[in-house]
Amino acid sequence: RKGRRKGALLAIGASKNLLTFSMYALAYGTTFSLPAVFNACPPSLVTLSVCTHAYLWILQQWRFRGVAKREREEGVPKNLFKGGRLLQVYSAFMGLGSVVLPWILCLNNPLKYMRLLGPHLYLVMYQIVLEAASSSWAKPVRLLVPIAFNSFRIPQLERWRSIVFDPYAPFSISAAKDFGSFDKAFCVVSGAAWCLNLLAFLIPYVYPSMLDQIHRPQLAESPSTPADSQEKETDGLGG
């Protein structure tokens, strides 16, 4: 039984590593080598992403290098937040809805979906790449990556909505009548999910969790209060 359990755990671990490697490979390959994605993205969006990457790197090197070193010395966990099974389900749902399903649609019908979903896919892939590249940075800088790219994504979601619902949208792609109920539902759900991800998850949940992980080692090593010292002296005299 122990052998079977160990084999099952190894298989699960290998599958997770393979999935992670596949995601990174897909991210690098599509972000930097797929012409259709770049053709679908406004030049301003590409410029904004690259400038954000450069700014965060400068911020890390100039202001937060000591913070990252102190985090490693104090044993602060690398994960930005702690999560249980519910968070795993949420992450899987966001991954399927933001990466897997859009790519299936684009590969199935690139003329209809690539220019519609290209900006969103570009931001998702660039975010994955930047989160992998910044894994050794200080946590306050790392948290800016999902917050920044989630904020960049909201105008693209509005562009997506206007294309799908507005028959007079000034975009040289398929007319709104070509998008059915599935396209409209997917657009609405994606917009709501990413807005909630920013306003109800990253800022009110992940940010406080990150601060708690940073300050917990300092609290554990903080000196005793005057009341504690007085209590120890009293105990010593009584003994």
Side-chain angles (χ1 to χ4, degrees):
R1 291 182 180 178
K2 291 183 179 180
R4 292 180 180 178
R5 184 178 181 182
K6 186 177 181 180
L9 292 176
L10 289 175
I12 293 174
S15 62
K16 289 183 178 179
N17 293 333
L18 180 61
L19 178 61
T20 303
F21 175 79
S22 301
M23 288 291 293
Y24 286 148
L26 180 64
Y28 279 103
T30 54
T31 303
F32 297 111
S33 66
L34 191 63
V37 173
F38 277 106
N39 292 335
C41 288
S44 58
L45 189 63
V46 179
T47 304
L48 184 62
S49 302
V50 175
C51 290
T52 301
H53 191 166
Y55 170 75
L56 293 179
W57 181 85
I58 294 172
L59 190 66
Q60 165 65 25
Q61 300 300 320
W62 172 58
R63 183 63 181 85
F64 285 90
R65 179 183 292 183
V67 176
K69 182 179 179 181
R70 187 167 64 249
E71 289 178 0
R72 290 191 297 268
E73 292 174 351
E74 294 177 354
V76 177
K78 285 190 174 183
N79 294 332
L80 287 176
F81 52 90
K82 295 181 179 180
R85 187 175 299 275
L86 181 61
L87 184 59
Q88 294 177 356
V89 174
Y90 172 77
S91 300
F93 169 77
M94 293 299 291
L96 290 173
S98 62
V99 179
V100 178
L101 185 56
W103 268 117
I104 292 175
L105 294 175
C106 288
L107 294 176
N108 183 53
N109 192 342
L111 294 178
K112 179 179 180 181
Y113 288 107
M114 183 56 72
R115 191 168 293 275
L116 179 69
L117 302 178
H120 163 75
L121 283 172
Y122 171 81
L123 289 174
V124 170
M125 297 304 173
Y126 203 113
Q127 179 180 339
I128 294 174
V129 171
L130 186 52
E131 286 181 352
S134 63
S135 59
S136 60
W137 293 1
K139 279 196 167 185
V141 182
R142 290 173 56 201
L143 183 59
L144 291 177
V145 176
I147 290 178
F149 278 84
N150 205 146
S151 301
F152 300 159
R153 192 175 290 110
I154 290 178
Q156 302 307 317
L157 293 171
E158 170 58 24
R159 174 183 178 274
W160 182 359
R161 183 207 61 79
S162 65
I163 293 174
V164 172
F165 285 93
D166 186 2
Y168 304 104
F171 296 101
S172 57
I173 61 172
S174 301
K177 61 182 178 60
D178 295 331
F179 297 101
S181 301
F182 169 79
D183 301 316
K184 295 179 180 180
F186 184 41
C187 173
V188 172
V189 172
S190 296
W194 283 111
C195 289
L196 290 174
N197 186 67
L198 176 64
L199 300 176
F201 178 66
L202 289 175
I203 295 177
Y205 177 74
V206 177
Y207 182 69
S209 177
M210 179 202 68
L211 293 179
D212 181 61
Q213 291 183 11
I214 292 176
H215 291 297
R216 184 170 296 175
Q218 298 178 0
L219 295 175
E221 299 176 1
S222 61
S224 58
T225 61
D228 295 335
S229 302
Q230 185 177 1
E231 182 178 357
K232 291 181 180 179
E233 293 178 0
T234 305
D235 293 340
L237 293 175

